[in-house]
Amino acid sequence: MLDKRYQVFITTSGKDMQPERMVVSQTLIGMGFFSWGLEQRTPLSTAFARRQIDDCDYVLLLLGSQYGEQSVSGVGYMHLEYIYAVTKQKPIIVFMHENPDAREAHLKDEAPILKEKFKDFRHQLQKEVEQVVTYRTLRDLELAVRSYMPQMLERYPVVGWVRPQNIQVLQDEIDRLKAKLAQVTAEQGKNESDPFLTLPKVSLHEAFSFEYRMHAYQDGNFKELSPVREMTWAELLKILSIEFRRPTPEDYFSKVLNEYLNNTGLTDAQVVMPRAHAVSRAQINIRSLHTIKQQMRQNDWITPVGRDDRQRMLWQMTEKCVKLLESYQRIGQRSSTF
């Protein structure tokens, strides 16, 4: 197996996040990552930060309760680094404090304009970034980093850095993958089949079982659970139709489903923890998510419709799917009336 290392650029609001930065840096180093980032920013350091982002594999944002130091334009340095990472299409993960208002007064902005900028930036991250994780304590943050960074490697694979003595091993692996790709391409050329169309079609009333992870809170502590949820395809379509009736980026598949699981997961948690009072950080199993996408494509329920200005693939429900879902809902309404 190749001895790979990955470089993570950490960006924070400034000195107020020094304890969090230290915890994250030490945790990443212990996991085999290289930790980068600038703790103090000036107009002269912006170019250096951009070079680090160019060279990194992943970008990690730590957001507490301050907007942070601002550039001469009035935009925070952390905000600028986030914008630059987006333009470079770097995989981004955000760790933000669960309740900024509960933090100590000296850790929060005093000026109303900074409070408003912080609020807007926090909302922007929650809306735009797929991987947003909340934490309450430093220990909570450490556990979250250990849990979610391996998911980033699986979800957004990158080349990383390989020790020089392993270059030949890497080249052998590249040659093997090229040969395999050529074989697959040749086979696809023969049967001209769509790689998505490998699953049998399903009907709306059929059930689909999938696993997901979440944090359940009970008696002041939390525990990570992995319940199994069973839903019909009609229920899944109804949830996804909230966003996908119009062209929507592919990452919204997980956003919409995870938000739904966060809102409904308490019942699943109380099966194991009867006194659980809240859940958070619901994350559908990646393979299950991929199966849902494949199945919807196979059934002609969803189709790609181009890319947005950030070059993200856009998906939209087909007219066939919309009519089918509306018909299914009308039948359900008549049944409930009877």
Side-chain angles (χ1 to χ4, degrees):
M1 182 177 179
L2 293 174
D3 184 10
K4 289 187 178 181
R5 297 290 185 270
Y6 301 94
Q7 302 178 87
V8 181
F9 180 85
I10 303 174
T11 175
T12 71
S13 54
K15 295 180 180 179
D16 60 303
M17 295 298 289
Q18 182 63 29
E20 285 85 351
R21 174 187 282 275
M22 187 171 296
V23 167
V24 170
S25 296
Q26 291 176 348
T27 304
L28 288 174
I29 292 172
M31 296 173 67
F33 292 90
F34 291 125
S35 173
W36 284 4
L38 302 177
E39 296 187 30
Q40 294 183 344
R41 276 72 152 254
T42 66
L44 297 177
S45 68
T46 301
F48 183 57
R50 290 185 173 184
R51 286 198 297 272
Q52 286 193 336
I53 294 174
D54 288 336
D55 294 337
C56 78
D57 298 302
Y58 301 95
V59 173
L60 188 155
L61 273 78
L62 271 174
L63 187 66
S65 50
Q66 285 188 9
Y67 183 64
E69 299 172 86
Q70 299 175 78
S71 65
V72 293
S73 65
V75 181
Y77 286 109
M78 177 171 57
H79 199 160
L80 289 173
E81 289 164 0
Y82 164 70
I83 294 172
Y84 187 74
V86 169
T87 63
K88 292 299 181 177
Q89 299 184 359
K90 294 292 181 177
I92 298 173
I93 184 169
V94 177
F95 294 90
M96 61 172 56
H97 198 279
E98 189 172 80
N99 185 9
D101 292 335
R103 302 189 80 200
E104 297 180 22
H106 71 279
L107 297 177
K108 294 185 286 188
D109 289 314
E110 296 181 0
I113 188 172
L114 290 179
K115 290 182 179 180
E116 190 64 28
K117 286 185 176 182
F118 168 77
K119 181 180 178 181
D120 291 343
F121 183 47
R122 193 172 192 270
H123 178 71
Q124 179 184 0
L125 294 176
Q126 291 172 322
K127 182 179 179 181
E128 295 181 353
V129 181
E130 181 175 356
Q131 299 292 336
V132 177
V133 185
T134 58
Y135 72 92
R136 292 184 295 177
T137 65
L138 294 180
R139 176 58 176 168
D140 198 12
L141 176 61
E142 177 188 350
L143 294 175
V145 172
R146 293 187 182 280
S147 174
Y148 283 90
M149 286 309 298
Q151 292 184 33
M152 291 292 288
L153 299 185
E154 183 177 356
R155 193 173 188 83
Y156 307 101
V158 295
V159 175
W161 176 84
V162 183
R163 292 182 183 276
Q165 59 265 35
N166 289 328
I167 289 179
Q168 185 57 51
V169 179
L170 178 60
Q171 186 60 52
D172 293 342
E173 183 180 4
I174 292 173
D175 292 340
R176 181 183 63 80
L177 291 174
K178 283 183 177 179
K180 187 175 181 180
L181 177 61
Q183 179 183 355
V184 171
T185 302
E187 292 175 355
Q188 287 182 338
K190 291 179 181 179
N191 54 33
E192 296 182 354
S193 61
D194 189 330
F196 279 93
L197 308 184
T198 57
L199 296 173
K201 291 189 176 183
V202 296
S203 60
L204 289 181
H205 69 271
E206 290 184 47
F208 176 68
S209 297
F210 59 89
E211 185 179 87
Y212 69 101
R213 295 194 301 177
M214 65 177 172
H215 284 183
Y217 298 89
Q218 175 178 289
D219 301 333
N221 299 310
F222 79 89
K223 181 179 181 181
E224 186 173 284
L225 303 179
S226 298
V228 175
R229 176 70 65 91
E230 183 176 284
M231 300 176 66
T232 65
W233 286 102
E235 291 171 328
L236 288 168
L237 279 180
K238 184 178 179 181
I239 295 166
L240 291 168
S241 68
I242 297 172
E243 294 288 346
F244 286 91
R245 284 178 182 262
R246 56 186 179 276
T248 304
E250 184 176 354
D251 56 13
Y252 273 69
F253 276 101
S254 58
K255 278 190 176 182
V256 173
L257 290 172
N258 289 341
E259 182 177 350
Y260 171 80
L261 293 170
N262 269 324
N263 293 333
T264 62
L266 183 58
T267 302
D268 292 338
Q270 288 175 339
V271 174
V272 181
M273 302 168 62
R275 298 192 307 280
H277 59 84
V279 298
S280 67
R281 301 181 188 171
Q283 187 84 25
I284 188 172
N285 177 274
I286 292 177
R287 291 185 178 180
S288 297
L289 178 65
H290 185 62
T291 300
I292 291 173
K293 296 178 187 177
Q294 282 186 314
Q295 195 68 70
M296 293 183 68
R297 178 80 183 274
Q298 161 69 353
N299 274 54
D300 193 27
W301 290 339
I302 199 161
T303 186
V305 291
R307 295 182 180 273
D308 63 8
D309 54 359
R310 292 168 54 188
Q311 295 304 305
R312 297 180 298 180
M313 179 66 75
L314 298 176
W315 295 77
Q316 185 175 6
M317 284 188 164
T318 61
E319 185 177 351
K320 166 189 171 182
C321 175
V322 173
K323 290 180 178 179
L324 188 64
L325 188 57
E326 291 174 349
S327 174
Y328 188 88
Q329 291 173 336
R330 284 196 298 269
I331 293 173
Q333 290 170 355
R334 287 200 295 268
S335 299
S336 61
T337 301
F338 286 122

